[in-house]
Amino acid sequence: PRTHLVFLKTHKTGGSSVVNLLHRFGESRGLRFALPHGYQFGYPEPFRAQRVKGFHPGGTPFDIICHHIPPQNPLNTLLTAPDPPQVAKVMPNDSFYFSIVRDPGTLGESAFSYYRSVAPAFRRAPSLAAFVAAPLRFYEAGARGNHYARNLQWFDFGLPPVPPSDAGAVQAALSQLDRDFPLVLLTERFDESLVLLRDALCWPDDAVAAFVHNSRTPAGKARRVSQGDIERLRAWNHLDWALYSHLNRSFAKKVEAYGAQRLRKEVEGLRKRREELARRCLKGGGPLPARVIADGELRPFQPPGREQILGYEVKEGLEPAERLLCSRLATPELQYKDLLDRKQF
């Protein structure tokens, strides 16, 4: 199994669910995580090795880094800059780099709901419909927090800002990304992505059986955008759409290489295993509103806006080993980070 991993976590793409399985895999094998001194590594400021707790120049590299890594522009400063790249200062040379992306047509709606209070462009708009109809009325390039409002994934990857008309520059950035990231997962094909990830990492089956984290209430999910608004959000986030379209094609090639029928069978097995774990572990058999979760270690962070994030409550009466397994599956990202911090330091 590969144990040197760099997961570039992008916003509003399902990355928290991936982080949970990385936390569980690493903890079960005693691997060392590159953790921030506090809540995060200083996002959206550029990543620096000194922001990693326990980092010493020339010291032993870490095994896994999987929280938001603030971008450096351009992306190749992460991996190939002559002044040694900052991530390479804390991670081994044989690390496997991967990430996850989502269609900007739906990501835009999620970002608007979640980051309404921190992105001035979203805050100024009376509604998502108003923002989508005329985003330039509300958006000011360079304003702090507005990276959430346009081409968020391009920003998270640290790709250089280029005009959409410069197809050569866009393609050059995407080609660099292909060289640096051998696998990028897709939110819309999440279970297929997990199977391909498991195969790439030579991990056991159960290692990628995870619950969905950071999901919204049914009322929040019900606020679907129209197909017209999806197209407008893709046009507004033109670099994200180029990124997503490119990676979607790359993903299709990986599916073909793996075998579509084989992949369907593996996905079916993964989903059955997840359902089995939910029945075995969870009170109510699935996600619950945060307000009814009694255990603070399992209660998810709630954003400052009106959006409500669901979490999990573990059944009572489980045997100690089973309770530990179930609790780890249900533990939100922030509490798990603190748990790992306590174990390492």
Side-chain angles (χ1 to χ4, degrees), residues 61-248:
F62 293 85
D63 295 307
I64 298 176
I65 186 168
C66 58
H67 299 89
H68 288 299
I69 305 172
Q72 298 174 325
N73 248 337
L75 172 68
N76 61 15
T77 57
L78 275 176
L79 304 177
T80 57
D83 170 33
Q86 295 294 313
V87 171
K89 288 183 177 182
V90 300
M91 297 300 298
N93 292 334
D94 66 347
S95 295
F96 183 87
Y97 285 71
F98 70 106
S99 188
I100 183 169
V101 294
R102 179 181 179 183
D103 185 336
T106 56
L107 184 146
E109 183 274 329
S110 182
F112 185 89
S113 299
Y114 200 90
Y115 298 114
R116 189 82 182 271
S117 65
V118 295
F122 291 157
R123 196 164 56 239
R124 292 169 184 161
S127 65
L128 175 63
F131 177 81
V132 170
L136 287 174
R137 286 182 54 199
F138 312 104
Y139 179 82
E140 178 187 351
R144 183 171 180 82
N146 268 354
H147 65 282
Y148 291 115
R150 191 175 199 186
N151 296 316
L152 175 56
Q153 296 174 100
W154 192 273
F155 179 86
D156 279 349
F157 274 101
L159 294 170
V162 294
S165 56
D166 192 343
V170 171
Q171 187 54 50
L174 296 176
S175 296
Q176 179 64 51
L177 186 149
D178 286 340
R179 289 190 289 273
D180 293 338
F181 291 84
L183 179 64
V184 178
L185 317 181
L186 300 182
T187 304
E188 291 78 8
R189 302 180 73 174
F190 190 70
D191 289 342
E192 294 165 285
S193 295
L194 293 183
V195 171
L196 293 181
L197 177 66
R198 184 184 69 196
D199 183 66
L201 301 181
C202 300
W203 279 13
D205 291 355
D206 262 13
V208 296
F211 297 148
V212 174
H213 284 263
N214 220 26
S215 64
R216 294 187 283 174
T217 62
K221 291 179 181 179
R223 293 193 295 273
R224 301 296 186 190
V225 289
S226 68
Q227 187 58 42
D229 283 347
I230 285 176
E231 295 299 335
R232 282 184 278 273
L233 282 166
R234 288 171 176 170
W236 170 246
N237 297 284
H238 53 275
L239 294 176
D240 272 9
W241 180 238
L243 171 74
Y244 180 78
S245 300
H246 175 83
L247 292 171
N248 209 323

Side-chain angles (χ1 to χ4, degrees), residues 191-192 266-276:
D191 289 342
E192 294 165 285
E266 295 291 336
V267 165
E268 183 181 344
L270 173 63
R271 289 173 177 166
K272 285 182 178 176
R273 178 59 175 151
R274 184 186 296 136
E275 292 167 3
E276 175 191 326

